[in-house]
Amino acid sequence: MSSVKIWLGLIQMARQFKFRIWHKKEKRWLDPWAEEDPILSLKDFGKGCEVYLYDRKTQDHSNVNCQMDDVIIQQYTGVKDKNGVEIYEGDLILSYHWNSKELLVVNWDDDSCMFYACLPSGGDIIRMDEAEKTVIGNIFEGV
């Protein structure tokens, strides 16, 4: 299998900024709309971001039970797959290009300020604005 990194395409500035949060210790997604989950917020006091949880019962913000190391925050790429499913960082996608089908991982490239998809082992950059993509899982839960 060749080494491939594929660009998801230029993201328009008017796109929605959405995030999802994986809790490493609990091995699950935090749901800000679920009554049992706290609302997560990030605060920057000039020393870097800290994670705070808003407890609905006490109506208090605290970072006692959740540290930045406990969570992984992933951003929505602004791109949807062929079925209309939003594609996030860390998603596993099937890409159909050059008459082949490959399993790819969605990542962010700091140098280019763009999202891209690549083979789990990494690889070369290839644009795929027109390539068909299907989300089939994510790096935490698998396929």
Side-chain angles (χ1 to χ4, degrees):
M1 185 177 264
S2 65
S3 179
V4 178
K5 182 187 284 185
I6 297 182
W7 291 104
L8 287 176
L10 295 172
I11 307 302
Q12 296 179 11
M13 291 303 292
R15 72 177 179 87
Q16 290 182 309
F17 287 89
K18 296 181 180 182
F19 299 89
R20 66 183 185 190
I21 300 154
W22 178 258
H23 197 290
K24 291 189 231 177
K25 291 180 182 176
E26 295 181 13
K27 297 191 185 321
R28 69 180 183 93
W29 296 106
L30 294 179
D31 181 355
W33 307 113
E35 289 292 323
E36 65 275 5
D37 278 353
I39 298 172
L40 184 128
S41 62
L42 299 175
K43 295 186 179 187
D44 186 352
F45 298 105
K47 301 175 281 183
C49 278
E50 293 183 28
V51 176
Y52 281 79
L53 300 176
Y54 176 75
D55 189 315
R56 290 179 170 88
K57 292 179 185 168
T58 65
Q59 297 185 347
D60 185 36
H61 283 88
S62 169
N63 68 350
V64 173
N65 294 320
C66 189
Q67 302 298 318
M68 199 66 178
D69 291 343
D70 295 339
V71 296
I72 297 174
I73 300 169
Q74 297 181 320
Q75 188 173 356
Y76 171 49
T77 63
V79 176
K80 294 183 180 180
D81 76 358
K82 71 175 190 168
N83 299 313
V85 175
E86 295 176 342
I87 301 175
Y88 283 80
E89 289 178 84
D91 277 347
L92 300 174
I93 61 173
L94 279 180
S95 176
Y96 307 92
H97 63 285
W98 297 336
N99 296 323
S100 67
K101 177 171 65 172
E102 295 190 85
L103 175 65
L104 305 171
V105 179
V106 177
N107 293 296
W108 172 258
D109 182 54
D110 286 331
D111 294 332
S112 301
C113 297
M114 289 186 73
F115 293 99
Y116 65 91
C118 66
L119 293 171
S121 59
D124 301 323
I125 296 170
I126 300 170
R127 291 190 59 92
M128 65 172 263
D129 292 347
E130 303 301 318
E132 195 171 281
K133 302 169 280 294
T134 305
V135 174
I136 60 168
N138 60 69
I139 58 174
F140 306 112
E141 298 170 304
V143 177

